[in-house]
Amino acid sequence: MTAGTSNQPPVWDVVEARKEDFIRLSDRVWETPETCYMETKSAAAHREMLQAEGFRITDNVAGIPTALIGEAGEGGPVIAFLGEYDALAGLSQTAGTTRHEPLTAGANGHGCGHNLLGSASLLAATALKEWLEQTGTPGRVRYYGCPAEEGGAAKAFMVRAGAFDDVDIAISWHPSNFAGVQRETSLANCRIDFEFTGRSSHAAAVPELGRSALDAVELMSVGVNYMREHMPSDCRIHYAILDAGGISPNVVQGYAKVRYVVRSPDLAGLLTLIERVKKVAEGAALMTETTVKSTILAGVSNLVVNTPLMDTMQGIWESLGPPAYDEADLAFARDIRATLTPQDIAASWNQERLEQRDVPLADFILPPHNEVRQMGGSTDVGDVSWVVPTVQAYGPTLAIGTQLHTWQVVTQGQSPLAHKGMVATAKVMAATGMAALQNPDLREAAWADLKRRHRGQVYQSPIPEGAEPPVAAMTAK
């Protein structure tokens, strides 16, 4: 179905009419890349747009300065659109180039496309808001401005604070190589800091008086590496040393700090694996006669998919079709693909279990599949999906073969092909929200599917009681 046909969802016309304003918002956020909980300029840009569009705004959601909610409408069901705007450290890149060319060496960059993510979600929310106003339909649309998806678990804190308690349906998306519906679950994960404290001494004169905290960090790494053989194969553990205890090798390091990310396909498995990692840390402390303190910074649950909502969104994508890329878009995508390896390109097709074709941009909609597949990453959308029926789109904003968290994502972030994918995805999300508002049977089926997938389990936040959003701590990412 193309724009302008009589039987298209009316929100598509609104998206088309308003797209330039939100493309500018996306580009503005791209130009001020900010990481985990530090997204002050990006959140302010989204707040300005919400205010200009007449949304009722709630700031400081869950005690997070860069989290906000915009609401419009009265009564009826509540449809939530989830937006993100955080960047990644170390991925600064000039836009529109086909070589690695940082704007500022070591600076941040939007290597996961969240500049597009938040803008498209807000465009979809605005389109649905205008449709509610034009038709007098009862219902409320909300835009959730969510920071710190990259490692900060802001949505998990927002869920714990009750920000989604009255939401009927939640809709989100992610930039991708393809157009379609995300039908994969994600890994639950937890981010933990381990601080070892020992005793400093002169490393040559009196080494026997020292108790090395750095030794404890290294021994913990050895222990976790041996543990990998004896944990489920689909779990993951990563680490980064945040403080090695100084730069003087002739001083026994009296303090060291390491950050671990522990991942598991489900929350129950995650909690078990966390306790095993903690025991390894305690063992490392015993061996080195140091002490260890662990602090959970963030945790997210596995994603719960929703069949009625996925099938609804699938039909809408198939009605819309992929974006109409022009020759300039295709040429730029081919140039990007020239910077990729054959393995990069094959990985994109393999992740969707599709036969590889020599096309630079998605010219089709991903076909549905019945089994729930496991993707390797994690997202705090998972916690929303445990308490609200949730559906996510894949938006075609990248040349096929582009891997997330790379400079190639950043360089495409302001391109016309990315903008086209963003706008198409906003149309699909807006139409999905309109379908949920109009169809009480769909909402009822979505809730029934969520309860079925719970299998009697009650949502348990992966964030410990009393833990607060680590706004200050995450600056040490």
Side-chain angles (χ1 to χ4, degrees):
M1 182 185 299
T2 58
T5 57
S6 60
N7 60 339
Q8 71 175 34
V11 290
W12 287 2
D13 287 334
V14 183
V15 170
E16 191 66 27
R18 299 299 313 281
K19 65 182 182 182
E20 295 301 331
D21 293 334
F22 293 86
I23 287 171
R24 283 191 289 271
L25 174 63
S26 174
D27 288 350
R28 178 180 173 186
V29 173
W30 187 97
E31 290 164 1
T32 58
E34 301 160 304
T35 58
C36 201
Y37 289 113
M38 300 294 107
E39 310 92 335
T40 54
K41 294 178 182 177
S42 302
H46 281 251
R47 193 186 193 285
E48 288 173 18
M49 185 65 81
L50 285 167
Q51 191 168 25
E53 296 298 331
F55 284 85
R56 303 181 293 272
I57 300 172
T58 302
D59 295 308
N60 203 42
V61 179
I64 302 170
T66 53
L68 65 154
I69 297 174
E71 180 180 280
E74 300 291 342
V78 178
I79 308 300
F81 293 91
L82 312 182
E84 298 164 12
Y85 31 69
D86 56 324
L88 288 157
L91 286 179
S92 176
Q93 169 64 28
T94 302
T97 67
T98 54
R99 63 184 181 277
H100 188 201
E101 187 179 329
L103 279 169
T104 304
N108 305 329
H110 273 285
C112 211
H114 292 184
N115 59 302
L116 298 157
L117 200 167
S119 301
S121 294
L122 184 46
L123 174 53
T126 300
L128 193 58
K129 169 184 174 291
E130 291 196 16
W131 177 76
L132 287 173
E133 293 169 349
Q134 292 167 4
T135 61
T137 302
R140 285 169 287 166
V141 55
R142 285 193 195 145
Y143 172 75
Y144 284 73
C146 305
E149 189 275 335
E150 299 287 358
K155 294 185 195 69
F157 285 102
M158 295 164 77
V159 169
R160 194 184 67 174
F164 293 89
D165 284 356
D166 62 345
V167 173
D168 289 271
I169 300 294
I171 302 169
S172 191
W173 77 291
H174 203 282
S176 173
N177 290 203
F178 301 109
V181 180
Q182 182 176 322
R183 294 175 179 267
E184 295 81 21
T185 188
S186 62
L187 295 172
N189 89 27
C190 189
R191 192 166 286 228
I192 317 171
D193 282 356
F194 293 92
E195 297 177 82
F196 291 91
T197 303
R199 185 190 311 139
S200 297
S201 72
H202 194 296
V206 283
E208 71 276 9
L209 299 181
R211 299 294 181 266
S212 174
L214 180 58
D215 284 356
V217 166
E218 292 184 304
L219 284 165
M220 181 180 177
S221 175
V222 172
V224 170
N225 284 336
Y226 274 108
M227 193 181 78
R228 295 179 194 276
E229 184 182 357
H230 306 287
M231 67 185 200
S233 60
D234 48 5
C235 294
R236 300 286 185 270
I237 302 179
H238 335 286
Y239 73 98
I241 297 174
L242 303 184
D243 188 337
I247 60 171
S248 300
N250 58 337
V251 176
V252 173
Q253 295 88 348
Y255 174 84
K257 183 177 182 179
V258 62
R259 179 167 294 168
Y260 271 79
V261 176
V262 183
R263 305 186 198 243
S264 175
D266 58 45
L267 188 55
L270 175 67
L271 297 175
T272 299
L273 195 56
I274 287 170
E275 292 307 310
R276 295 181 66 189
V277 172
K278 286 182 177 179
K279 288 178 181 176
V280 173
E282 291 164 3
L286 281 171
M287 285 189 285
T288 54
E289 296 186 71
T290 60
T291 60
V292 63
K293 172 189 173 185
S294 64
T295 304
I296 293 180
L297 298 175
V300 302
S301 301
N302 53 295
L303 191 69
V304 181
V305 299
N306 194 281
T307 298
L309 294 179
M310 291 189 300
D311 290 348
T312 298
M313 181 176 277
Q314 182 75 33
I316 293 168
W317 258 124
E318 290 173 358
S319 295
L320 177 66
Y325 300 113
D326 59 25
E327 186 50 48
D329 299 325
L330 294 168
F332 181 50
R334 291 189 194 100
D335 290 342
I336 291 293
R337 280 161 59 89
T339 72
L340 307 174
T341 67
Q343 291 78 17
D344 290 328
I345 295 170
S348 291
W349 293 97
N350 291 340
Q351 285 164 6
E352 297 300 330
R353 303 185 190 178
L354 296 174
E355 183 176 347
Q356 184 170 333
R357 295 196 287 119
D358 187 22
V359 292
L361 290 169
D363 58 0
F364 63 96
I365 305 302
L366 288 174
H369 52 79
N370 293 325
E371 78 276 19
V372 177
R373 298 172 183 169
Q374 177 74 62
M375 68 176 181
S378 303
T379 174
D380 56 7
V381 177
D383 290 86
V384 179
S385 75
W386 269 87
V387 299
V388 178
T390 302
V391 65
Q392 296 190 92
Y394 282 133
T397 64
L398 299 166
I400 296 175
T402 307
Q403 300 303 312
L404 298 176
H405 296 200
T406 63
W407 68 263
Q408 286 94 340
V409 177
V410 188
T411 200
Q412 294 174 77
Q414 286 189 315
S415 65
L417 73 85
H419 295 154
K420 289 171 184 173
M422 169 191 136
V423 171
T425 310
K427 289 180 179 179
V428 169
M429 289 193 293
T432 303
M434 190 180 76
L437 273 171
Q438 291 180 308
N439 189 346
D441 290 341
L442 174 58
R443 300 194 301 273
E444 183 178 344
W447 276 99
D449 192 70
L450 175 59
K451 291 174 182 176
R452 177 180 64 84
R453 293 181 185 279
H454 279 168
R455 296 176 183 172
Q457 297 181 62
V458 177
Y459 171 72
Q460 177 185 355
S461 176
I463 301 170
E465 191 72 29
E468 296 299 326
V471 174
M474 295 309 293
T475 59
K477 279 183 79 176

